Each structure stands twice: as C-alpha cells, then as structure tokens.
Amino acid sequence: MILGGDNRKKWSNLDVLVMQAYQIVKDERCSQCGVPRWLCRNSDPRIQVRVKVDECYAKQEIDKFEERRRKDDDKSGIAYPEFYTTDGTPLHEFRRAYYEQLAAERAEDAEEND
Ligand SMILES: [Zn+2]
C-alpha cells in the first residue's frame, strides 16, 4: 500500500502502523495554529513561544498577481505558481541545496539558543 503500490492487497503491519501514526498526528493537530495541541495548549511555563516567519515566494507572486487582477473585469481561472529557472538548471537540482541550507540555518539557530 505504501508508495502507491496495489491498494487492493491486504494491509501489512507497517501500513497499519503508518496509518495509526498519521491519525495521531491529525488528531493532535491544533485547529488554530496547526501545531500539536500538547505544545500550544500546554500551560507548563518551561514551554515558551517565539514567532518565526516562513516565506513562500510563490504565494507572494500569486498575491501580487491577484492584487493587479483586482481591477480587471475577467477574474476567471485560478492563479497557480509555475516554477522556472533563469539559467535552465533543472528544478530538481535545487532540492539538496535547499535542505542543506535549512539544516545549516537550524544548526545556527540551535547554537544561538544554547
Ligand atoms: Zn494551537
């Protein structure tokens, strides 16, 4: 069943465990902030919250587009992002560098908070 296999087969123990884990994650998710409830609704004073900003460049471009389109008569269709590169580099080649940069930023954040 996992990874798009034939889903008419009987579920394996791993399939059941994955679905149970998924259900737990879904059930624990706060409807207001999306974080597990045991974190965002926990009154233990050792748990504190700081706000971080996560930028999605596609959403920013769509917002700009929608702002320009607000004056148009024709508002049919749904705006969606189409990614391209300025130098022809295939998009998949950006994945590894993105996660390496993310890991470096997280390591830097962890160092600052020690
Ligand atoms: Zn919450």
Side-chain angles (χ1 to χ4, degrees):
M1 198 280 293
I2 297 171
L3 299 177
D6 185 346
N7 61 9
R8 291 170 295 179
K9 285 181 189 165
K10 191 174 185 294
W11 283 25
S12 70
N13 286 342
L14 185 59
D15 293 331
V16 173
L17 286 173
V18 167
M19 287 312 293
Q20 286 174 335
Y22 175 67
Q23 189 66 53
I24 290 168
V25 168
K26 263 184 73 175
D27 291 347
E28 286 188 337
R29 191 181 167 104
C30 172
S31 60
Q32 292 179 53
C33 70
V35 168
R37 290 166 191 261
W38 54 266
L39 271 177
C40 74
R41 300 179 188 206
N42 195 322
S43 60
D44 189 316
R46 290 173 299 172
I47 299 175
Q48 299 293 307
V49 179
R50 76 179 133 244
V51 176
K52 297 248 181 168
V53 175
D54 191 21
E55 286 180 293
C56 171
Y57 302 114
K59 176 78 168 80
Q60 289 175 4
E61 288 303 317
I62 289 171
D63 288 349
K64 277 191 234 169
F65 175 84
E66 295 291 0
E67 182 63 36
R68 287 193 303 269
R69 191 158 78 156
R70 201 164 292 166
K71 299 155 203 141
D72 295 350
D73 290 335
D74 182 15
K75 292 181 179 63
S76 62
I78 294 170
Y80 65 95
E82 179 185 53
F83 293 88
Y84 63 95
T85 56
T86 54
D87 62 357
T89 305
L91 290 168
H92 69 86
E93 290 186 15
F94 291 84
R95 186 173 189 270
R96 180 190 295 242
Y98 170 80
Y99 283 111
E100 284 172 357
Q101 186 186 338
L102 199 63
E105 287 171 8
R106 286 187 176 152
E108 209 171 276
D109 279 357
E111 246 172 56
E112 283 172 16
N113 296 327
D114 280 343

